Amino acid sequence: MKARLLFLLVALGQLLYAQNTVTLEYYLPQNISYNPDIPKPSEIIGHEVGQWHVTHDKLLFYMNTLAAASDRITIENRGTTFEGRPILLLTVTTPENHQNLESIRQDHLALTDANSAAMNTSNMPIVVYQGFSIHGNEASGSNASLAYAYYLAAAQGPEIEELLANMVILLDPSFNPDGLQRFAYWANVHRSQNLNPDKNEREYHEVWPGGRTNHYWFDMNRDWLPVQLPESRARIATFHKWMPNILTDHHEMGTNSTFFFQPGEPTRVHPLTPKINQELTAEIGTYHARALDKIGSLYYSEENYDDYYYGKGSTFPDVNGGIGILFEQGSSRGHIQESENGVLTFPFTIRNQFTTALSTIEAAKNMRVKILDYQKKYFQDIKREADRTRTKGYVFGDSKDPVRTWHLAEILHRHKIKFHELANDFTISGKAYKRGGAYIVPLNQKNPRLIRAMFERRTTFTDSLFYDVSAWTFPLAFNLDHAQLSALVNAGEEVQEFTPVQGSITGKSNYAYLFEWHSYYTPKALNQILQKGLRAKVAKTPFTLAGKRYDYGTIMIPVQNQKLDADELYAFLAEIADNSQVAIDAVSTGLTQGIDLGSNDFDPIKKQNVALLVGDGVRSYDAGEIWHLFDTRYQMKITKIDTRYFDNVDLSRYTDLILPSGWGNNVLDKDAADKIKDWVKQGGTLIGYRNVANWLKKNEILQLKMKEDSLKAKNVRFDQKGDYLGAQVTGGAIFEAKLDRSHPVGYGYKNDRISLFRNTNIYLEPEENSYDNPIQYTNAPLQSGYISEENETLLKNSVPFKAKRMGKGRVILFTDNTNFRAFWYGTNKLLMNAIFFGPLM
Ligand SMILES: [Zn+2]
């Protein structure tokens, strides 16, 4: 038997290289029998695992078929992606456990209550959440899930029986269905019958934007904490429903790499993660090592990757009493590719993912009681810690914008964090919090550490290198008033029914309607009004009417001389108030204290037609964030123009052109620059982001004085060079700037301070005249996150925003990303101000 097997494997290896025709046996443990009634992947999807890249449709088909055939598996659809693909979850355990699944779940959740001390874990199943290919073009994970699900359904014998009796496996075969589908298409359409490992082959060079991201080009492995995307929302609901003990996240890395499993860099673990979490991760790692040793695969751990930002799948569990584990497999990209480690086949990468999926559950089985006890103790410890600390909770809100306030509360709600209405209005640190416009989050609840991870500011660090952002403090990202509370005397009822903010209109007017610009969805409202062909104006100074003060940027819609008559206009605006959650006032006179409604200080606003540069050379994340903002939040059409055919596009039909950040300065050539200049001179508004600053400067579209660092390494050894240079990277931190609210870019902001997210090292000198610097970093700008001393010096009093006239048009520059990862609600309005009020700047 053994000899036959060996022969088979050798023969298999040879075949593999020639035609990539592996069989399922290549992946599976061979010392056990498999239930013949369970369909193999090839019988359902028409090809062997690893022969082609599985499309999401086929993956779905197989998982549904498997669930129907196996009494160990139930399947559910938890929602749909932006492209309408189901977001699947398989629950795998014994048929007996399936009968009692709800009580198993309840018992498991009880373990995360602070008063769980008496609970006995010795007979309790452990919960393991295994997810694959959150980056769609790291496809070995999702392809491995076919073989893995088959194994779980079909494997026979006491070992698997015992394992499943003690475990509930939540199997998420595709964390990113839209990205997986996009990548499978790419890899499959280039596959030759004679598989070609030449690294220059087109198969291994995906076109922009690639399958890594989801539909709107988001990196979904940054969204576990902000939960802004449908895929993450489904996942997070499952997470909190089950509070898994182990969560694994199967990725791929560069082709010349081997295989990585966590723990990562020991010095780069978030301080809210307990030390024992890393020790348990390391112990689980010994199972991966043994399993990979057995099949001869190279691997490493405790390097490269960190465990810092809680928005990643392998880190999020660490602040929730679980253990998150990152796997990274060197990628074959397509079906086979030459590498520094020899020819790397797609099946080989799949087998490593399969093998570590299996070693994960073996570790879970053997370490079950230890890991369950760790979870139990975690929640007891953090409860005691919260009882001891002086901070008892947080308050956040905005007296002018209940919608932004609501959206932060929505994140808490998705994480099952409780929050309260205010019992009464109160003022703290000079900020007034009003009932109905603010919430209090007490720390005295299930997971105070998760709340701290979302609310706290951190400016000191044990390491100066970060794999991702170093700060994500949510009330700053939302630009909300907020404070720590040392007592909860102002907390009222806990919010039970969490319903969206309602818009309103005070009545029908024969004169005019007004709404202030502060509420989050006012751009959506204004856009509908302008698209309807109605006239609207913006107030350039504040005024008071009928006892109410209207701030800078108030929108006025006169009733007379419109396309709609007074009744139709009222009906239309009532609909807009409702769909945009805006409060619209009907007024009966134009006479105000301050500028009257007929004043020239009300400027007409034009209908906008916005174009966005995308394609090769543009950073797809930044472009996707803008597309998503316009399309899903403000319901505004935006035309994506690809760099490939930009030269042939007639720009005259657009009022605005947005150039997102790019990797180089050569995205658009000199001819394109001239074309853009001509268009601006004719009245266009050009909006550039981040390193587009260099391109604008080089092409003399914008005069910019940049502050440069004069850093020279002293006493830095050659092998320290990477760390030394890495410490100068501003990976993503939060900084405070002064805001001139009378400048159109500041309309809709209540405070004269604003928090900005920054992940560039571009530092602009301010203009000589103060009114030309509506946004300027303060003298002590760091609010949260890491920046090197040298860079902080450069940042002080520099400006992140420029607006200059050119002919009849405007050139506007933001050096910082105002749309970061869909959760920076607090700065989205800056871009909308540039769009609607650009001509006023
Ligand atoms: Zn990845």
Side-chain angles (χ1 to χ4, degrees):
M1 180 69 189
K2 240 184 184 163
R4 224 182 88 203
L5 194 73
L6 194 70
F7 169 76
L8 201 76
L9 282 173
V10 170
L12 217 69
Q14 285 164 353
L15 271 172
L16 199 70
Y17 188 80
Q19 282 304 323
N20 204 26
T21 49
V22 289
T23 59
L24 196 56
E25 287 69 36
Y26 173 66
Y27 307 104
L28 300 179
Q30 289 305 303
N31 47 357
I32 56 168
S33 63
Y34 291 89
N35 180 349
D37 296 334
I38 298 296
K40 293 177 177 174
S42 61
E43 293 163 23
I44 306 301
I45 63 172
H47 63 80
E48 284 296 349
V49 173
Q51 189 184 0
W52 294 87
H53 277 252
V54 74
T55 58
H56 190 263
D57 316 68
K58 286 189 172 184
L59 182 85
L60 177 70
F61 188 32
Y62 180 65
M63 294 303 174
N64 277 322
T65 309
L66 193 66
S70 169
D71 57 3
R72 290 174 180 170
I73 298 180
T74 58
I75 193 164
E76 63 188 290
N77 175 12
R78 298 167 295 163
T80 52
T81 66
F82 282 115
E83 293 174 18
R85 293 193 175 82
I87 302 169
L88 290 183
L89 183 75
L90 280 67
T91 303
V92 191
T93 188
T94 57
E96 295 71 36
N97 284 345
H98 271 298
Q99 296 299 317
N100 304 312
L101 199 62
E102 184 54 21
S103 73
I104 290 173
R105 188 180 75 83
Q106 294 291 353
D107 284 353
H108 184 76
L109 281 190
L111 205 59
T112 63
D113 282 341
N115 52 6
S116 60
M119 289 190 76
N120 185 352
T121 52
S122 60
N123 290 315
M124 201 177 262
I126 187 168
V127 179
V128 181
Y129 192 162
Q130 295 177 285
F132 299 88
S133 301
I134 196 163
H135 297 138
N137 61 4
E138 300 174 2
S140 55
S142 283
N143 283 272
S145 79
L146 296 166
Y148 183 54
Y150 169 79
Y151 169 84
L152 292 175
Q156 300 292 292
E159 207 170 313
I160 183 84
E161 291 293 344
E162 191 206 333
L163 185 139
L164 291 177
N166 286 294
M167 199 174 303
V168 175
I169 299 170
L170 307 169
L171 200 170
D172 198 329
S174 171
F175 270 158
N176 178 3
D178 295 348
L180 184 77
Q181 185 79 9
R182 207 154 69 224
F183 183 68
Y185 154 79
W186 178 264
N188 288 337
V189 298
H190 291 93
R191 184 185 189 275
S192 303
Q193 288 183 18
N194 298 284
L195 297 183
N196 184 353
D198 184 344
K199 66 179 188 314
N200 297 321
E201 156 62 34
R202 190 169 193 250
E203 182 176 343
Y204 314 124
H205 300 269
E206 246 188 313
V207 289
W208 198 98
R212 175 181 174 89
T213 49
N214 79 344
H215 177 76
Y216 286 101
W217 312 334
F218 282 99
D219 183 338
M220 287 197 299
N221 196 32
R222 304 294 183 266
D223 194 42
W224 290 75
L225 199 56
V227 274
Q228 295 302 313
L229 306 168
E231 299 88 347
S232 333
R233 289 178 172 178
R235 241 184 280 131
I236 287 300
T238 302
F239 188 95
H240 291 299
K241 185 177 168 189
W242 275 100
M243 297 300 286
N245 298 95
I246 298 175
L247 186 147
T248 55
D249 190 18
H250 291 256
H251 288 249
E252 288 183 0
M253 55 183 162
T255 304
N256 290 325
S257 302
T258 59
F259 189 92
F260 168 86
F261 54 82
Q262 272 180 333
E265 285 277 359
T267 58
R268 287 158 60 187
V269 178
H270 197 288
L272 291 176
T273 297
K275 200 164 164 275
I276 184 170
N277 165 293
Q278 296 292 301
E279 291 164 9
L280 291 168
T281 307
E283 188 177 337
I284 295 169
T286 63
Y287 287 81
H288 308 318
R290 261 200 304 281
L292 292 168
D293 285 342
K294 213 185 259 179
I295 58 170
S297 289
L298 293 172
Y299 55 82
Y300 68 96
S301 69
E302 298 184 321
E303 288 177 59
N304 289 24
Y305 297 94
D306 73 9
D307 233 345
Y308 196 84
Y309 171 46
Y310 285 123
K312 293 189 295 172
S314 54
T315 312
F316 179 76
D318 299 341
V319 76
N320 285 286
I323 299 162
I325 295 173
L326 173 69
F327 294 121
E328 295 274 356
Q329 163 65 49
S331 181
S332 63
R333 296 296 169 217
H335 293 88
I336 189 168
Q337 198 182 156
E338 53 197 26
S339 82
E340 286 174 5
N341 298 302
V343 170
L344 185 62
T345 69
F346 185 41
F348 175 80
T349 66
I350 295 171
R351 187 172 62 164
N352 287 340
Q353 303 278 21
F354 175 92
T355 301
T356 46
L358 226 57
S359 57
T360 299
I361 54 173
E362 196 200 338
K365 186 188 80 174
N366 292 343
M367 295 169 66
R368 182 178 58 86
V369 173
K370 191 190 273 189
I371 293 174
L372 285 167
D373 286 343
Y374 163 69
Q375 184 180 36
K376 182 167 94 168
K377 188 166 180 302
Y378 175 85
F379 285 96
Q380 290 166 358
D381 288 351
I382 62 174
K383 174 76 167 54
R384 269 197 297 273
E385 177 188 78
D387 290 345
R388 279 197 308 266
T389 52
R390 269 193 55 221
T391 300
K392 296 301 172 202
Y394 300 91
V395 61
F396 65 91
D398 186 311
S399 55
K400 288 282 202 179
D401 183 4
V403 178
R404 222 163 0 107
T405 307
W406 187 91
H407 277 299
L408 175 50
E410 184 190 18
I411 297 176
L412 302 180
H413 185 67
R414 290 191 189 280
H415 285 300
K416 299 248 161 98
I417 294 170
K418 294 173 180 168
F419 49 94
H420 293 241
E421 301 280 6
L422 304 195
N424 45 269
D425 299 352
F426 69 101
T427 298
I428 183 168
S429 310
K431 301 285 185 204
Y433 297 90
K434 293 204 159 41
R435 246 179 89 85
Y439 297 110
I440 286 176
V441 195
L443 277 172
N444 181 21
Q445 57 176 300
K446 183 167 176 162
N447 195 343
R449 281 215 176 171
L450 179 60
I451 301 169
R452 280 177 62 191
M454 296 170 78
F455 279 78
E456 71 179 7
R457 301 182 189 193
R458 211 170 262 278
T459 51
T460 52
F461 301 92
T462 52
D463 201 309
S464 50
L465 297 185
F466 297 85
Y467 185 78
D468 197 73
V469 296
S470 59
W472 52 86
T473 313
F474 281 92
L476 295 177
F478 278 73
N479 265 295
L480 292 169
D481 292 335
H482 61 285
Q484 293 184 21
L485 301 175
S486 53
L488 299 173
V489 287
N490 296 304
E493 292 285 296
E494 185 191 324
V495 176
Q496 301 283 358
E497 294 247 322
F498 186 58
T499 52
V501 175
Q502 298 291 310
S504 63
I505 186 161
T506 56
K508 194 191 133 189
S509 173
N510 289 314
Y511 196 79
Y513 295 92
L514 297 170
F515 63 88
E516 289 195 290
W517 190 242
H518 301 85
S519 184
Y520 184 74
Y521 291 109
T522 49
K524 177 180 172 185
L526 178 60
N527 183 59
Q528 290 176 82
I529 290 164
L530 297 173
Q531 294 297 329
K532 190 82 178 171
L534 297 170
R535 283 181 298 106
K537 291 184 165 186
V538 58
K540 295 195 286 186
T541 56
F543 58 93
T544 302
L545 202 164
K548 178 171 171 180
R549 186 187 147 86
Y550 291 88
D551 204 356
Y552 292 104
T554 293
I555 305 298
M556 190 264 293
I557 304 112
V559 176
Q560 294 306 312
N561 202 17
Q562 292 276 24
K563 269 189 172 172
L564 303 178
D565 68 25
D567 287 334
E568 290 167 341
L569 183 62
Y570 169 64
F572 180 67
L573 292 179
E575 194 186 308
I576 283 176
D578 185 48
N579 73 29
S580 305
Q581 297 163 263
V582 176
I584 300 178
D585 297 332
V587 295
S588 56
T589 174
L591 191 64
T592 76
Q593 291 158 276
I595 54 168
D596 294 332
L597 300 194
S599 162
N600 284 338
D601 267 349
F602 279 92
D603 258 42
I605 315 162
K606 288 207 186 76
K607 184 168 96 174
Q608 301 298 308
N609 193 10
V610 183
L612 171 69
L613 188 75
V614 302
D616 274 339
V618 174
R619 216 174 128 80
S620 60
Y621 300 132
D622 294 46
E625 288 159 0
I626 294 168
W627 175 28
H628 174 264
L629 180 71
F630 275 73
D631 197 32
T632 72
R633 298 262 173 86
Y634 298 133
Q635 308 295 319
M636 285 171 72
K637 282 187 188 138
I638 186 165
T639 303
K640 305 189 289 298
I641 300 177
D642 198 290
T643 50
R644 273 186 301 122
Y645 57 82
F646 181 80
D647 286 353
N648 305 325
V649 171
D650 173 11
L651 289 179
S652 67
R653 57 194 291 166
Y654 306 105
T655 54
D656 303 78
L657 172 63
I658 305 175
L659 306 180
S661 190
W663 280 282
N665 282 326
N666 302 320
V667 176
L668 297 177
D669 61 12
K670 175 102 185 15
D671 288 350
D674 289 342
K675 174 177 170 159
I676 289 175
K677 261 190 240 179
D678 288 343
W679 169 79
V680 172
K681 285 175 186 163
Q682 295 304 313
T685 300
L686 178 69
I687 302 169
Y689 270 101
R690 300 174 65 200
N691 68 358
V692 170
N694 299 319
W695 183 84
L696 293 172
K697 187 181 177 193
K698 192 182 92 179
N699 288 287
E700 296 174 338
I701 296 175
L702 204 53
Q703 305 286 320
L704 297 170
K705 267 188 268 165
M706 297 184 182
K707 299 183 180 183
E708 307 282 349
D709 72 60
S710 53
L711 201 64
K712 295 281 176 294
K714 290 198 181 90
N715 301 319
V716 178
R717 284 196 320 268
F718 181 73
D719 69 349
Q720 294 169 329
K721 181 178 156 189
D723 286 358
Y724 171 75
L725 293 176
Q728 297 305 320
V729 172
T730 308
I734 305 173
F735 302 95
E736 187 179 50
K738 293 179 286 186
L739 181 69
D740 178 353
R741 299 194 319 108
S742 77
H743 190 286
V745 79
Y747 289 177
Y749 284 93
K750 182 174 79 64
N751 298 328
D752 57 8
R753 289 284 190 279
I754 188 169
S755 299
L756 296 163
F757 174 80
R758 162 167 269 257
N759 55 355
T760 59
N761 280 340
I762 297 169
Y763 305 95
L764 299 181
E765 294 278 8
E767 301 288 322
E768 283 179 358
N769 297 311
S770 61
Y771 50 75
D772 287 329
N773 300 312
I775 311 176
Q776 183 169 18
Y777 282 113
T778 64
N779 202 35
L782 180 63
Q783 289 185 299
S784 193
Y786 170 81
I787 186 169
S788 74
E789 262 177 52
E790 295 82 359
N791 287 332
E792 195 183 0
T793 304
L794 293 172
L795 188 68
K796 285 177 184 175
N797 305 310
S798 71
V799 295
F801 172 83
K802 293 272 178 184
K804 286 272 173 68
R805 293 183 184 202
M806 183 191 278
K808 293 182 200 157
R810 300 289 182 286
V811 180
I812 292 170
L813 170 68
F814 292 100
T815 60
D816 299 344
N817 185 351
T818 59
N819 317 301
F820 190 59
R821 290 180 184 165
F823 78 91
W824 264 80
Y825 281 72
T827 46
N828 289 152
K829 194 145 273 164
L830 296 176
L831 174 57
M832 289 298 134
N833 288 346
I835 298 287
F836 286 108
F837 311 135
L840 307 185
M841 294 177 186

